[in-house]
Amino acid sequence: MQRSATRKRVAVTGATGLIGRALVRSLRADGHDVLRLVRRPAATADEVEWDPKRLYVDAAGLVGVDAVVHLAGAGVGERRWTEAYKREIRDSRVLGTRAIAEALASLAEPPEVLVCGTALGYYGDTGSRAVDESAPAGTGFLPSVCVEWEAAAAPAEEAGIRVAHARTGLVVAREGGAWGRLFPVFRAGLGGRMGDGRQYWSHISLHDEVAALRHLVDTPALSGPVNLTAPEPVTNREVTAAMGRVLRRPTVCAVPAPALKLVLGDFAQDVLGSQRVLPARLLESGFDFAFPTIDEAIRAAAR
């Protein structure tokens, strides 16, 4: 991947999340100016206030930005999926994206690019069938959210801003996200497959996720949906085996599907569902994965 040598001014939402923190560190390490959108009055020069629930963004604070990376949204796996929390999942993404898109569209000189983090949930359960960005939306709660989520960026597109939708897979990292919960369990020797383990988990290392987001910012030819997932999707059984190999722990404590449904409610459908998703457009654009295999991704996260 070739990174732009030009110093950029980049605004980031979700800057306190797993991916956002890593992205901000990466950009600043390379000398770029980073603005963080915060849900309170700005306290420092590198902060911009916004309130997605009120569709409010301090647009004046975004004057002069070259790019915006929008990552904010309620965690899909943070709580049991009650109807109230499903509304929060949907609203945090749709309203937040609309607020950002409308604010950028209002600028006299809008940024070159808006990278919106979305999800592989767009495709629904694909079983063992491999899909890429040409596949249609699936059915169910998460696909419907993803469709609305991506559509909410329309005001930015209509204003001539290049919009890329980063459909992200399961991020392999020990410090947060879904994988952050797996590491302690497997280190304790209590890890195992989930359900029958045949479901595909399309993953990506945190390093490659950040590099891919920056690649989207720096690659003018990329707009629309782009899958951010490693080129070799693996099943949950294979993930389990890889965790055991890398961490040198037994992996015999399987979690049966009924137990997952009891604990997770509707979210269990997505844990047990299968998504075999390929990063066709990312590879076509010349992106090079640093950690393309599941063993490499886990090993990088475990360092």
Side-chain angles (χ1 to χ4, degrees), residues 190-206:
L190 300 175
R193 61 175 171 77
M194 297 184 183
D196 63 16
R198 296 175 184 171
Q199 68 273 29
Y200 276 87
W201 280 16
S202 293
H203 67 282
I204 186 169
S205 72
L206 179 59

Side-chain angles (χ1 to χ4, degrees), residues 150-220:
E150 295 184 5
E157 292 179 297
E158 292 164 3
I161 300 169
R162 175 170 65 88
V163 176
H165 298 290
R167 294 177 179 167
T168 294
L170 291 167
V171 178
V172 184
R174 73 168 186 267
E175 61 266 40
W179 230 282
R181 297 191 194 115
L182 293 180
F183 268 101
V185 174
F186 276 85
R187 284 190 189 277
L190 300 175
R193 61 175 171 77
M194 297 184 183
D196 63 16
R198 296 175 184 171
Q199 68 273 29
Y200 276 87
W201 280 16
S202 293
H203 67 282
I204 186 169
S205 72
L206 179 59
H207 174 96
D208 285 330
E209 171 72 10
V210 169
L213 289 170
R214 293 190 58 175
H215 183 72
L216 292 183
V217 168
D218 293 335
T219 308

